[in-house]
Amino acid sequence: MKFASFSTVVLFHLATSLVLFIPSIQSSLSHTSLLEQVCRQSPHYHLCVMTLRSSVNHKSKTDVAGFARLTLEIANANASVALKLLQEGYEHNRHPELKGALEDCRVSYNMLVKVHLREALIAMDIGDYKIVKQRTYAAGLQAQSCDNKFKGSKVSPLKDTNRYVENLCAIALSIVNRLIQPNQATLT
């Protein structure tokens, strides 16, 4: 009889544990599937997945808008580092042929960080996704513009950074488009 009671207690404990853990497992699975859905629609699937999974405990990873915000924050952080390096590198540059391109890139990244991505993040906070889309698109163009400054040069010190920031902006744009499309459908 004690064996039956012990089995009942074990089964009850197991059932209780499952009830407590299944919601967190389901939440994790739904988060993964949402992340997969969002990234499959982006132009850079693998970068999207790596970027959004990189900040597992980030507060903005619970919905599509959170994914857009997180991508913009990461683009902004990388662009800010690039801007700082450009400011330092420009002052210490000994190659006159790069000086003009570096100065143009410094101006581009200054606009990218202090205007476009800043305004995109502010617009995310108030849910103005059309402004987010415009500012993010402009930020991507600024990164591309910087890359173009080195086309005739043998050296392109920002090639990888420009491409990374541009691709993050493209991912953010694809996510923001998901946020805008449902709103447009209800307005017509």
Side-chain angles (χ1 to χ4, degrees):
M1 200 65 156
K2 287 187 178 191
F3 183 71
S5 298
F6 180 73
S7 298
T8 306
V9 169
V10 169
L11 285 174
F12 176 75
H13 181 66
L14 182 60
T16 306
S17 297
L18 285 174
V19 168
L20 293 175
F21 291 118
I22 285 178
S24 65
I25 291 169
Q26 287 175 335
S27 171
S28 172
L29 290 175
S30 66
H31 169 73
T32 300
S33 64
L34 178 61
L35 185 143
E36 292 287 328
Q37 287 174 7
V38 166
C39 289
R40 285 193 201 294
Q41 293 180 350
S42 82
H44 307 285
Y45 173 77
H46 294 292
L47 178 60
C48 178
V49 170
M50 288 174 30
T51 300
L52 295 179
R53 283 193 179 151
S54 68
S55 301
V56 175
N57 296 320
H58 194 278
K59 64 183 178 192
S60 295
K61 289 186 64 174
T62 57
D63 58 7
V64 176
F67 288 142
R69 179 164 191 61
L70 178 59
T71 306
L72 287 169
E73 287 174 357
I74 293 171
N76 191 49
N78 281 278
S80 295
V81 169
L83 177 59
K84 184 177 179 187
L85 291 173
L86 278 165
Q87 290 167 336
E88 293 169 0
Y90 179 75
E91 295 168 5
H92 298 31
N93 180 36
R94 291 186 173 80
H95 302 285
E97 69 276 3
L98 294 180
K99 208 159 187 92
L102 288 171
E103 173 60 15
D104 289 345
C105 282
R106 189 188 63 73
V107 170
S108 291
Y109 269 86
N110 195 47
M111 286 292 294
L112 200 154
V113 171
K114 295 182 179 178
V115 177
H116 300 308
L117 290 176
R118 182 176 172 273
E119 289 177 4
L121 287 165
I122 290 169
M124 278 299 303
D125 290 340
I126 60 173
D128 190 344
Y129 302 126
K130 288 184 180 182
I131 294 296
V132 175
K133 183 177 178 176
Q134 292 169 356
R135 299 292 93 207
T136 303
Y137 180 75
L141 289 178
Q142 291 287 12
Q144 187 179 51
S145 169
C146 176
D147 199 40
N148 290 339
K149 301 298 180 194
F150 295 97
K151 287 289 185 199
S153 176
K154 294 177 184 176
V155 180
S156 181
L158 295 168
K159 185 176 185 89
D160 293 336
T161 302
N162 290 332
R163 186 175 297 135
Y164 185 59
V165 171
E166 186 180 353
N167 290 347
L168 286 173
C169 288
I171 292 167
L173 273 173
S174 72
I175 297 170
V176 170
N177 280 334
R178 281 183 62 129
L179 296 168
I180 291 173
Q181 288 172 347
N183 294 338
Q184 289 177 341
T186 56
L187 294 175
T188 56

